[in-house]
Amino acid sequence: MLICNKINKTYDDGNTKINILSDIDLNVHSGETISVVGASGSGKSTLLHVISSLDKPDSGEIKLDGDLLSKLSESQLCKIRLNKVGFIYQFHHLINELNVEENISLPLRISNMSKPDIEKKVDKIIDQIDMKKRKNFQIDKLSGGERQRVAIARAIVHNPKIIFADEPTGNLDKNNAKNIFSLLNDLVNYNKSSLVMATHDLEIASLLSRSLIIENGLLRETRI
Ligand SMILES: Nc1ncnc2c1ncn2[C@@H]1O[C@H](COP(=O)(O)OP(=O)(O)O)[C@@H](O)[C@H]1O
Ligand SMILES: [Mg+2]
């Protein structure tokens, strides 16, 4: 599903170059769920952004569902993001001016899906995230957990083959975090998507099929 070979990413703070990702190799199989743990600042977000096509590596190859990302134009990359990738952030990144239904339908509207098809898909996922009664609510009227439910629905509504989640429960209390993770996990399994999730929560990390740790720019398997 996703093959990464020798990925390098360096940030330059003006004086020194810092190697955030050093020769990282990673394979994610179809339907596999992976957690990425590591200290704050270790490069989890950088890794997720690079391997999901949101950012570019300095060197190395990323093949996403057969497409070599470095060979694609910006508009081809947009198409891949719209069709094959879902991204969930720690802070929902929803549009406050739109309501729940409008936020969730956004990726479908951008990809020119017909109105009845959009309605069908959006209604189904709103039901799955148990937000039927909040369908017309503005985002700022929702609790933190409800916002993350909507963010998950928006990232998953187009049935992406792979979902990246960057500390999706990092901003929630323990109970809410568990609920939101289990919702995400259920939807990922239901859609047979792959999942790569950065998290601080070792209890949640242990529930995924494989765990990786990033340390000093290197990524390795770990047991949690
Ligand atoms: N755009 C940027 N420019 C310079 N340094 C950055 C940039 N983004 C992240 N960094 C640095 O890269 C390191 C890794 O950051 P990040 O990937 O956000 O870590 P994590 O998600 O594990 O907390 C940090 O030291 C951070 O300060
Ligand atoms: Mg981060």
Side-chain angles (χ1 to χ4, degrees), residues 17 68 84 88 164 167 171 196:
K17 277 193 168 180
L68 201 53
K84 296 186 178 175
I88 302 159
F164 299 90
E167 310 212 30
N171 198 34
V196 184

Side-chain angles (χ1 to χ4, degrees), residues 198-223:
T199 182
H200 265 110
D201 190 327
L202 297 184
E203 203 179 323
I204 285 177
S206 71
L207 299 173
L208 300 186
S209 49
R210 193 148 69 94
S211 293
L212 305 173
I213 185 164
I214 183 164
E215 229 170 9
N216 302 321
L218 304 173
L219 189 68
R220 60 179 168 81
E221 304 274 337
T222 184
R223 272 170 174 265

Side-chain angles (χ1 to χ4, degrees), residues 21 35 60 101:
L21 308 176
S35 64
E101 188 181 19

